[in-house]
Amino acid sequence: AAATGAPPAPEVGVMTVQPGVVPLTTELPGRLEASRVAEVRARAAGILLKRHFQEGSEVKAGQRLFTIDSAPYRTTYASAQANYAQASALAKRYRPLVEANAVSKQEYDAAEAAATAARAQLDAARIALGYTHVTAPISGRIGREMVTEGALVGQGDVTHLATIQQINPLYINLSQSANEVLQMRQALRAGQLVTAEGAEAAKVDVILESGETYAHSGRLLFTDLTVDPGTGQVSLRAEVPNPDKLLLPGMFVRVRLHQAQADNAILLPQQAVTRGNQ
């Protein structure tokens, strides 16, 4: 080149490619949903006296959330205690007397039945009194208070007081075209693709609105067995960890789903490929 004055040959990059296993992924839109949701409701009628939690905080199962005025229930419970004590004492006195034939068996049976009924009334009064302390049915994050102190709750209906949601982990509700599912199954049956194996078989990656991939990978839980006749879509559900509480229920995300893989496939850099008429 120096002798003829021609420019030197350009330097080019060279890459050796080998066949390998290439995972095939599908991106689907999804919506996040709390894994467990519990509505806290008033099961006792009365005036709401106090709230024992901070809105938006984490609560534990069994933690006291509200206090309802218990004065009428304490009175009923005390009356039930007295009735049971009286009925139980009468049945206890009759027990040796019926053995000595001093009282009839019928009178003793009536006393025993009265004691059993009084015990049931006492248990019912204890349960009703316990309902004045409203506790959390599950652990999770509690939302805003639906009623304020001083309100009459549980009168004729179980008043909705608050909602608790478990957001670690979160569910992702997805939908995929039935036609795509059919094509995937046909390719698998024809041997063009194989089912993804190992941990990749049920792995899902969450892509946030910013385009970043969420740090924690999820897993596919199930694929519905029927197609929605209105939309032609198949429903899927995945689960994703949310230890930092970064994700919130109701958010829309995109999910990269690993469904199959191609064997003996060759990957080339996209910038190395040119297209032409031939």
Side-chain angles (χ1 to χ4, degrees):
T4 59
E11 295 183 358
V12 297
V14 177
M15 175 183 292
T16 302
V17 294
Q18 297 290 340
V21 177
V22 178
L24 302 181
T25 60
T26 304
E27 284 197 10
L28 301 173
R31 187 169 186 174
L32 297 174
E33 176 184 311
S35 54
R36 294 182 70 189
V37 179
E39 292 185 348
V40 181
R41 293 184 177 272
R43 303 174 69 179
I47 300 298
L48 188 66
L49 297 181
K50 190 173 182 180
R51 168 167 61 90
H52 301 277
F53 66 92
Q54 183 177 358
E55 294 174 315
S57 64
E58 295 285 335
V59 296
K60 299 292 185 181
Q63 177 181 332
R64 183 184 296 188
L65 303 177
F66 297 94
T67 296
I68 300 173
D69 183 16
S70 62
Y73 297 94
R74 289 198 305 270
T75 301
T76 302
Y77 179 69
S79 176
Q81 273 186 315
N83 291 339
Y84 174 67
Q86 183 178 8
S88 179
L90 181 61
K92 187 176 181 180
R93 286 198 305 268
Y94 275 13
R95 189 173 295 114
L97 296 178
V98 73
E99 295 175 356
N101 294 324
V103 296
S104 66
K105 184 69 165 56
Q106 183 178 5
E107 289 177 314
Y108 173 70
D109 290 343
E112 283 285 346
T116 301
R119 176 68 185 185
Q121 293 177 352
L122 177 61
D123 290 340
R126 181 185 295 110
I127 293 172
L129 179 60
Y131 286 160
T132 60
H133 300 302
V134 182
T135 58
I138 63 173
S139 300
R141 179 170 293 181
I142 192 167
R144 66 184 180 89
E145 180 185 22
M146 306 300 293
V147 294
T148 58
E149 290 86 349
L152 178 63
V153 298
Q155 190 69 36
D157 192 12
V158 283
T159 308
H160 183 193
L161 301 177
T163 300
I164 301 174
Q165 299 185 79
Q166 282 189 358
I167 61 174
N168 182 30
L170 282 171
Y171 287 151
I172 312 175
N173 295 321
L174 310 166
S175 59
Q176 187 174 16
S177 167
N179 185 44
E180 292 180 2
V181 175
L182 179 60
Q183 291 179 356
M184 177 76 70
R185 292 184 176 180
Q186 288 176 334
L188 291 170
R189 180 172 297 181
Q192 298 171 345
L193 302 174
V194 296
T195 304
E197 298 178 352
E200 297 293 323
K203 179 183 175 182
V204 297
D205 293 323
V206 177
I207 304 173
L208 306 177
E209 291 187 0
S210 61
E212 299 179 359
T213 301
Y214 183 55
H216 303 282
S217 296
R219 62 189 182 96
L220 184 66
L221 295 181
F222 72 86
T223 301
D224 207 347
L225 300 177
T226 58
V227 178
D228 188 331
T231 63
Q233 302 281 316
V234 177
S235 297
L236 303 88
R237 169 170 282 182
E239 182 184 77
V240 60
N242 189 30
D244 302 325
K245 309 298 189 299
L246 176 64
L247 304 178
L248 296 175
M251 291 176 60
F252 286 97
V253 294
R254 293 196 63 81
V255 174
R256 187 179 296 119
L257 178 63
H258 300 252
Q259 291 180 301
Q261 61 190 28
D263 288 338
N264 296 321
I266 297 177
L267 290 181
L268 296 175
Q270 185 175 5
Q271 62 269 27
V273 179
T274 58
R275 297 181 180 272
N277 295 334
Q278 304 301 320

